[in-house]
Amino acid sequence: DSKIRNYLEITDVMIYSYKDILTSGALLLGMSFNKVCIASKVGSLPEYLDNNFLFSNLSELEDKIKWLSNYSKEDLIAVGKRNFERIEKETWKASSELTKNMYQSILK
């Protein structure tokens, strides 16, 4: 756990090749580190990423990797920043509001 930041800082793209999942804290972690993320179209993952960064099978994943290999470092950084902005505004805020509202309803 203490080295996870080091691993995330040296990567450009994170791939989440899940076969079955409901949600992924790992995806949100990657997005919170301004990383380009490619994920399977399973569970809630499609809610977080643009369709260009989702895949359904190995062939599509290979196509996504080839497609991203043409991105410049600046392009990758821009996509990573958009990922962070997406979860910063939507996901974290929404999660914190839901949690706050749940506790407030319990305390009433």
Side-chain angles (χ1 to χ4, degrees):
D1 285 347
S2 64
K3 295 183 181 180
I4 189 94
R5 177 183 272 298
N6 296 341
Y7 292 122
L8 290 171
E9 287 176 349
I10 61 172
T11 189
D12 291 321
V13 177
M14 297 181 70
I15 298 174
Y16 302 89
S17 57
Y18 297 114
K19 289 184 180 181
D20 187 30
I21 190 167
L22 295 175
T23 62
S24 175
L27 175 63
L28 296 179
L29 179 65
M31 293 174 79
S32 71
F33 270 82
N34 296 295
K35 298 301 174 185
V36 175
C37 298
I38 302 174
S40 330
K41 291 181 183 177
V42 297
S44 65
L45 302 184
E47 295 177 30
Y48 298 104
L49 299 173
D50 295 331
N51 198 46
N52 290 337
F53 298 93
L54 296 168
F55 65 92
S56 297
N57 54 53
L58 182 58
S59 176
E60 287 182 14
L61 174 57
E62 290 170 349
D63 291 343
K64 300 293 179 187
I65 293 170
K66 288 176 188 172
W67 171 66
L68 278 175
S69 70
N70 294 316
Y71 271 46
S72 68
K73 183 72 171 176
E74 292 77 22
D75 292 336
L76 293 172
I77 290 169
V79 171
K81 284 183 181 179
R82 281 195 305 271
N83 280 342
F84 176 78
E85 289 166 0
R86 172 177 273 165
I87 63 163
E88 179 185 44
K89 292 178 184 170
E90 298 172 13
T91 305
W92 297 127
K93 184 175 181 180
S95 294
S96 65
E97 283 295 319
L98 285 171
T99 303
K100 180 181 109 182
N101 292 342
M102 180 189 67
Y103 281 115
Q104 286 178 336
S105 71
I106 291 169
L107 295 173
K108 287 184 179 180

